[in-house]
Amino acid sequence: MTELAETTNGTDTAVAATVPLTLRVNGKDHDTAVEPRELLVDVIRERLGLTGTNVGCETTSCGACTVLLDDRSVKSCTVLAVQAQGREITTIEGLADGNTLHPVQAAFQRCHGLQCGFCTPGMVMASVSLIDEGRATDEKSVRAALKGNLCRCTGYHNIVAAVLSAADEMEADK
Amino acid sequence: MESTTVAPPSGVGARQMRLEDPGLLTGRDRFTSDLDIPGALHAVFVRSPVAHARVVSVDTTAATAADGVVAVLTHKDVDVPRVFFPTFGELIDDAYHRVPLASETVRFVGDIVAVVVAETITQAHDAAELVEVDYDALEVVVDPVAATAPDAPLLFPGTGTNLAVDIPFEAGTRAPDAPVQVHQRVAHPRMAVVPMEPLAIAAVPGDGEKLTLWCSTQMPHVTQGLMALWLKMDPADLRVACPSVGGGFGGKTPAEPDYVLVAAIARHLRRPVRWTQSRSENLLTMQARGHLFDVTLEATRDGRVTSIRSEGLTDVGGYPGLGIGMAMTARGLMTGCYDIPHASHVVRCVATNTSPTVPFRGAGRPEAIHALERTMDRLAAELDIDPAEIRRRNFVPVEKFPYTSVMGTEYDSADFEKTLDEALRLADYEGLRAEQAERRASGDEVALGIGISTYVEVSAGSPGMTGDYASVEVSEDGWATVVAGTSAHGQGHWTVYAQVVSDRMGIPAEKVRFVQSDTDTVPRGMGTSGSRSLQLGGTAVRLAADEVVEQAKEVAAHLLEASPEDIEIVPGVGLGVRGVPHRTLEWGELAAAVADDARRPPQLAPRLFADPGFEQGGGTSPFGCHIAIVEVDLQTGMTTLRRFVAVDDCGVVVNPLLADGQVHGGLAAGIGQVLFEYSAFDDEGNPTTTSFADYGMPSAADLISYDTAHTVTPTTRNPLGAKGLGEAGTTGSIAAVHNAVMDALRPHGIDHIDLPLTPMRVWQALQDRES
Ligand code: FES
Ligand code: FES
């Protein structure tokens, strides 16, 4: 707990009425304590110091905060941290295998599916999940599935190309 | 040593993958809000909920007493400077300058009246709710035309007018009695800039007067200069540094008023203070565009334009400032690609009770091209000449470059017919027109529309911004380090500059380190905006690389006992003696030798380092042709984009992968502006588009894949032959999509609908026509 508090961005960890919580993130258990109203994204970023997950809105509209919860993508600004207890959380930091990028990350690099990189962690996590669910069948379905992840830089062209390319590659490797 | 075989380095022209990506793709790289700033307090702004009012009182008692609150500050507590831009100093009255913490009057919903500073962000938000402000409402003016009326309520009564700028212009000779004249009013509405990372800053006071600003900006050095000016600090005491920056698009070019406020408060409290803009604040206060153009073209019967007379009315919001720049830039491009002998234009900028405006992708360029190209289509229709043909008849001919337009704008080089022809070919223009004729004849309820836009811009041409800094240094590990005064925030400068290094020095791109965006480590720079970076920064890198190669040749000649003229680059290795394959020295060895007094040629400094900088002395003119193909459902008014062809000419392309990426992003913004996106206010000045639920930010599902291509007309203004490309996608696409929808609707009796072309707007126009 003290170790975690040091990684915060000034969030007051001494507030009353916190509940103890164990979060399993990227295959590792983190014991922490949170207020019941705290959002998963804030706990991931500020209590666990995993700042790869970004915040781009307050209205669950942009997808910058997308993480995997038991392998399904969720917007972590819509989930209370306490709801994630006992579930497997994967953030962008947990996707690559050491220095080897996950096929979706590699495809984003190959296809130039990112520019500023702010939407990217969320976009990649959403893509991992939609490929996993078999929804990356063609351009139209990828576009529909990524509707909730906004990007201002790429015009989406290369993001869609990256997802289709990764899906092909992952299918071939099965 | 023996030379080893190495894969050829990826130089200019290669589709090199980005060096930036691994850090961004793994979440390792940090944005400003990710930084751990020990002991930082959190600021939340209390913003005015009314558009125009006198501030009677601000009661901070309850907020000050709330949990965790360190201070609640109003203009009475902290000295906040006036924010002004010296560039516009001669254009506007000082009375229009904004003090980011309002005192007596608030002039738009969002004007800041108090700042709560607390230990945690939650505490700051909670306490902000407790600040009680008493407002005495003043009459509101939202509509820019109404704001120019003689009896309009005045935002700055001392000036006697809301028209902050009113500048007429006329040049050339107007042919008398033009046989044809068309007029078009083109509204170019407000939109929001929407970088996915909103503004963010952490202001950290140091010893004495020292202050570090970690912030999300496109221009660290410009921010340093302006902040120091406003805060009356010695620039040497002020460090501005950016970690990763999550997009800018012009919205992060000014030294933000919000940043000045946070800096002033950190200085006042002598404690680190951080602030991250919320999305609703971002959609409200980072707005752009907002023009109304009246364009009159005069022409001969065969479609040759003899005169353009135009007026722009630009709504610059509650505090006229940066928004004026866009109106001035638009004026310079009002004749577009055409050789027009006479022009007049009036720039008028008006204050209204809405958010002050900032630049957005194109920053005046798309505005001018949109107004002009819309009117060109009206002229084509009037004369029954094909839109492609009427453009061709008016293009500045290729032999006239370098060309100075009647607006006084210089285009260094272009070949407008080349991009037009290529776009027509890629789109299968004739085939499309045939399909359209067929569908029209058969009474198809889904109308096909084809829209053409030809554009030209000026990149890197803003006064005082036509040069930049870069250094190149080779170290003993054989790597090169580039330090650049430009400031990338998504553009991929590390990669393209590394390609330039690779091209000039034979060092692979993967062995290039990159330093940018920090006034402590970069001696000077003008940042990234206005499509300036590759041509200026990339050239500065090239010149520095060439100087380092010359130094290294002297070292190699000295060590290998050869003449410098016989030393050549051995790509992937270092330098060697021409014709003697085994006599080479690696870059690392050369760097070590030059640092060694015993081995350094006496005339050299002890580093392989150069930073000559580059001054271009003027801008370059990217150009192109965009064709949009749309289908408009005449029952529902719904527009579907079927295809988009963009042929852009930015001179020499250093990295086609990244060049296409720039175009894609620009197209999305332009298409979005035509079909979905706009920022709006009601009659009371209340914003109605401050969340993604209300603001039509385009998603992947709203857009299509684009057909992009490039023709190459190198500029001679810089040795790379490169021009800017960051804004071209937007500059060309707005008019193309707008013209396409109008092309679909013209046979149905509709000549013009103003943006945004939402299904409701189009449907309404179809209804109005029937009634
Ligand atoms: S931050 Fe979660 S959707 Fe925008
Ligand atoms: S890459 Fe910048 S927002 Fe998507």
Side-chain angles (χ1 to χ4, degrees):
Chain A
M1 184 58 229
T2 45
E3 172 208 320
L4 296 174
E6 277 166 17
T7 66
T8 70
N9 289 336
T11 298
D12 189 349
T13 47
V15 195
T18 58
V19 293
L21 180 70
T22 303
L23 285 181
R24 190 163 177 78
V25 184
N26 301 330
K28 210 173 125 211
D29 283 331
H30 297 262
D31 294 324
T32 182
V34 305
E35 285 181 67
R37 65 170 174 168
E38 267 184 82
L39 298 172
L40 181 58
V41 65
D42 294 333
V43 173
I44 289 173
R45 282 178 54 81
E46 289 169 20
R47 294 192 188 270
L48 308 190
L50 295 171
T51 53
T53 303
N54 291 326
V55 178
C57 72
E58 306 89 53
T59 51
T60 74
S61 313
C62 77
C65 64
T66 305
V67 300
L68 301 185
L69 202 53
D70 293 337
D71 292 333
R72 297 291 293 248
S73 65
V74 295
K75 293 177 175 173
S76 61
C77 72
T78 68
V79 179
L80 295 172
V82 290
Q83 293 174 294
Q85 167 100 32
R87 302 173 70 180
E88 192 77 41
I89 301 162
T90 311
T91 69
I92 192 72
E93 289 92 344
L95 206 56
D97 182 3
N99 280 332
T100 310
L101 295 178
H102 181 280
V104 172
Q105 290 170 312
F108 268 68
Q109 182 175 26
R110 190 168 64 242
C111 301
H112 188 33
L114 66 153
Q115 291 184 25
C116 77
F118 193 82
C119 73
T120 308
M123 200 65 87
V124 166
M125 298 317 277
S127 303
V128 167
S129 161
L130 83 93
I131 292 172
D132 196 47
E133 291 158 27
R135 290 192 288 148
T137 47
D138 57 14
E139 174 172 347
K140 214 170 162 205
S141 36
V142 170
R143 286 183 177 277
L146 289 179
K147 200 166 71 186
N149 287 78
L150 299 177
C151 174
R152 192 54 141 179
C153 296
T154 64
Y156 305 103
H157 181 113
N158 287 340
I159 289 176
V160 174
V163 174
L164 289 170
S165 168
D168 275 353
E169 192 183 309
M170 289 162 77
E171 183 60 35
D173 284 354
K174 262 188 192 164
Chain B
M1 61 145 281
E2 198 129 317
S3 62
T4 43
T5 329
V6 178
S10 36
V12 169
R15 294 177 72 85
Q16 163 78 36
M17 289 198 297
R18 292 207 318 177
L19 304 168
E20 288 86 348
D21 290 356
L24 292 167
L25 276 164
T26 53
R28 201 169 62 227
D29 285 355
R30 301 207 153 199
F31 295 91
T32 297
S33 303
D34 301 341
L35 298 176
D36 191 13
I37 308 284
L41 302 171
H42 294 257
V44 165
F45 300 156
V46 177
R47 293 179 182 272
S48 169
V50 291
H52 199 192
R54 208 148 280 291
V55 180
V56 180
S57 63
V58 183
D59 183 352
T60 59
T61 326
T64 308
D67 260 2
V69 170
V70 173
V72 181
L73 304 162
T74 71
H75 74 100
K76 291 191 179 126
D77 309 304
V78 53
D79 192 17
V80 177
R82 305 171 82 77
V83 170
F84 60 96
F85 299 93
T87 355
F88 303 122
E90 285 138 42
L91 294 181
I92 62 168
D93 197 307
D94 289 1
Y96 293 110
H97 296 168
R98 178 178 179 192
V99 178
L101 192 52
S103 50
E104 286 133 46
T105 311
V106 287
R107 296 184 175 84
F108 69 101
V109 171
D111 221 348
I112 302 167
V113 289
V115 183
V116 177
V117 185
E119 299 287 345
T120 76
I121 184 71
T122 314
Q123 289 166 336
H125 276 297
D126 290 348
E129 300 283 312
L130 304 175
V131 175
E132 297 269 358
V133 189
D134 191 6
Y135 297 99
D136 192 0
L138 294 167
E139 210 186 328
V140 171
V141 62
V142 172
D143 179 71
V145 177
T148 63
D151 58 347
L154 296 179
L155 272 77
F156 300 86
T159 66
T161 175
N162 290 320
L163 267 182
V165 171
D166 189 351
I167 306 173
F169 171 92
E170 182 160 14
T173 315
R174 185 172 167 200
D177 309 319
V180 186
Q181 183 166 322
V182 294
H183 168 259
Q184 181 62 54
R185 170 168 279 206
V186 181
H188 191 90
R190 278 281 182 111
M191 64 188 301
V193 178
V194 205
M196 288 311 298
E197 180 207 24
L199 294 179
I201 184 171
V204 185
D207 293 341
E209 290 299 299
K210 294 243 184 264
L211 181 67
T212 297
L213 303 180
W214 294 99
C215 62
S216 183
T217 177
Q218 298 171 225
M219 298 179 153
H221 293 83
V222 176
T223 297
Q224 179 194 37
L226 283 171
M227 287 278 193
L229 173 72
W230 295 332
L231 293 165
K232 299 191 175 62
M233 288 178 68
D234 178 351
D237 284 331
L238 189 62
R239 174 186 179 195
V240 177
C242 321
S244 293
V245 173
F249 314 106
K252 295 175 184 171
T253 48
E256 310 291 340
D258 316 70
Y259 291 177
V260 185
L261 186 49
V262 176
I265 287 170
R267 270 169 38 108
H268 174 78
L269 297 175
R270 301 225 47 81
R271 291 190 57 183
V273 177
R274 69 192 312 164
W275 172 76
T276 300
Q277 191 179 44
S278 71
R279 179 57 64 192
S280 58
E281 287 179 303
N282 177 259
L283 286 166
L284 173 60
T285 65
M286 197 188 280
Q287 292 189 10
R289 316 281 200 226
H291 310 259
L292 189 61
F293 293 100
D294 278 284
V295 183
T296 302
L297 293 175
E298 294 180 351
T300 60
R301 291 241 163 263
D302 63 356
R304 271 172 222 285
V305 179
T306 53
S307 163
I308 177 168
R309 282 177 292 128
S310 49
E311 282 184 23
L313 180 64
T314 300
D315 167 12
V316 290
Y319 296 93
L322 281 176
I324 296 163
M326 277 38 83
M328 299 301 288
T329 300
R331 177 182 79 179
L333 290 172
M334 281 312 293
T335 56
C337 305
Y338 312 119
D339 195 12
I340 304 176
H342 171 262
S344 68
H345 185 84
V346 186
V347 171
R348 298 200 302 160
C349 297
V350 66
T352 63
N353 293 117
T354 63
S355 317
T357 54
V358 298
F360 179 52
R361 206 161 193 159
R365 300 163 183 84
E367 289 93 320
I369 297 298
H370 176 215
L372 171 64
E373 290 296 282
R374 226 5 250 133
T375 315
M376 283 300 280
D377 262 26
R378 294 300 308 276
L379 179 65
E382 172 76 23
L383 292 169
D384 199 20
I385 298 175
D386 183 273
E389 177 55 28
I390 200 158
R391 287 172 168 80
R392 198 185 295 280
R393 284 184 198 173
N394 286 287
F395 281 154
V396 177
V398 96
E399 60 277 7
K400 276 204 178 180
F401 294 95
Y403 172 85
T404 301
S405 77
V406 69
M407 307 306 304
T409 303
E410 203 183 42
Y411 307 152
D412 73 293
S413 56
D415 185 346
F416 299 132
E417 283 210 80
K418 186 164 66 176
T419 45
L420 173 68
D421 286 335
E422 182 63 359
L424 294 175
R425 187 185 70 77
L426 289 172
D428 180 21
Y429 187 65
E430 280 174 30
L432 285 169
R433 286 291 177 206
E435 177 190 342
Q436 184 181 53
E438 214 168 283
R439 287 171 65 168
R440 281 178 182 169
S442 73
D444 197 334
E445 280 298 301
V446 179
L448 178 68
I450 306 151
I452 300 179
S453 152
T454 52
Y455 74 87
V456 62
E457 328 175 285
V458 176
S459 61
S462 308
M465 307 263 305
T466 54
D468 219 310
Y469 172 88
S471 68
V472 171
E473 176 162 22
V474 178
S475 43
E476 293 182 27
D477 59 7
W479 285 56
T481 300
V482 171
V483 177
T486 51
S487 195
H489 42 282
Q491 293 84 353
H493 294 169
W494 182 3
T495 306
V496 289
Y497 293 172
Q499 288 179 257
V500 172
V501 166
S502 173
D503 216 48
R504 306 305 293 178
M505 306 179 76
I507 296 176
E510 294 74 16
K511 288 194 171 181
V512 177
R513 297 188 187 92
F514 188 51
V515 176
Q516 61 160 9
S517 315
D518 183 344
T519 57
D520 262 14
T521 54
V522 183
R524 59 191 172 86
M526 297 304 289
T528 287
S529 68
S531 307
R532 66 190 299 278
S533 297
L534 177 60
Q535 58 189 305
L536 303 180
T539 300
V541 169
R542 178 176 150 134
L543 298 179
D546 287 353
E547 281 194 18
V548 171
V549 168
E550 288 313 310
Q551 295 165 3
K553 279 186 175 171
E554 289 186 48
V555 183
H558 184 69
L559 297 176
L560 298 171
E561 293 170 346
S563 136
E565 294 80 64
D566 291 333
I567 303 293
E568 64 177 8
I569 292 169
V570 183
V573 180
L575 299 184
V577 182
R578 188 172 295 119
V580 190
H582 297 299
R583 290 183 67 200
T584 58
L585 284 167
E586 290 186 9
W587 276 106
E589 296 176 280
L590 291 161
V594 86
D596 179 349
D597 292 347
R599 289 189 292 155
R600 179 175 61 246
Q603 71 277 19
L604 288 188
R607 293 163 78 190
L608 290 178
F609 171 90
D611 64 346
F614 176 59
E615 173 52 56
Q616 188 164 263
T620 56
S621 47
F623 62 98
C625 175
H626 289 186
I627 300 183
I629 299 123
V630 303
E631 303 202 316
V632 183
D633 187 322
L634 300 172
Q635 298 301 314
T636 63
M638 177 77 187
T639 297
T640 308
L641 186 60
R642 186 168 103 179
R643 203 172 161 217
F644 198 98
V645 175
V647 179
D648 300 289
D649 193 322
C650 59
V652 172
V653 174
V654 172
N655 185 329
L657 187 66
L658 273 57
D660 282 342
Q662 285 299 308
V663 174
H664 295 158
L667 294 181
I671 294 164
Q673 184 174 359
V674 177
L675 298 178
F676 334 99
E677 283 189 56
Y678 60 97
S679 296
F681 297 86
D682 70 14
D683 292 346
E684 294 305 307
N686 298 304
T688 56
T689 49
T690 57
S691 79
F692 281 138
D694 304 312
Y695 184 81
M697 172 81 172
S699 77
D702 298 318
L703 294 167
I704 59 171
S705 291
Y706 321 103
D707 290 304
T708 54
H710 301 273
T711 59
V712 178
T713 307
T715 178
T716 54
R717 289 266 163 94
N718 62 69
L720 282 177
K723 303 177 177 183
L725 186 63
E727 294 163 300
T730 309
T731 300
S733 60
I734 296 171
V737 181
H738 197 175
N739 281 343
V741 177
M742 293 307 125
D743 183 58
L745 295 176
R746 193 172 342 99
H748 304 279
I750 296 172
D751 288 328
H752 184 85
I753 309 172
D754 271 322
L755 305 186
L757 302 178
T758 56
M760 185 64 190
R761 280 266 179 106
V762 173
W763 180 84
Q764 193 63 55
L766 286 159
Q767 294 306 108
D768 292 351
R769 165 205 60 156
E770 270 149 24
S771 60

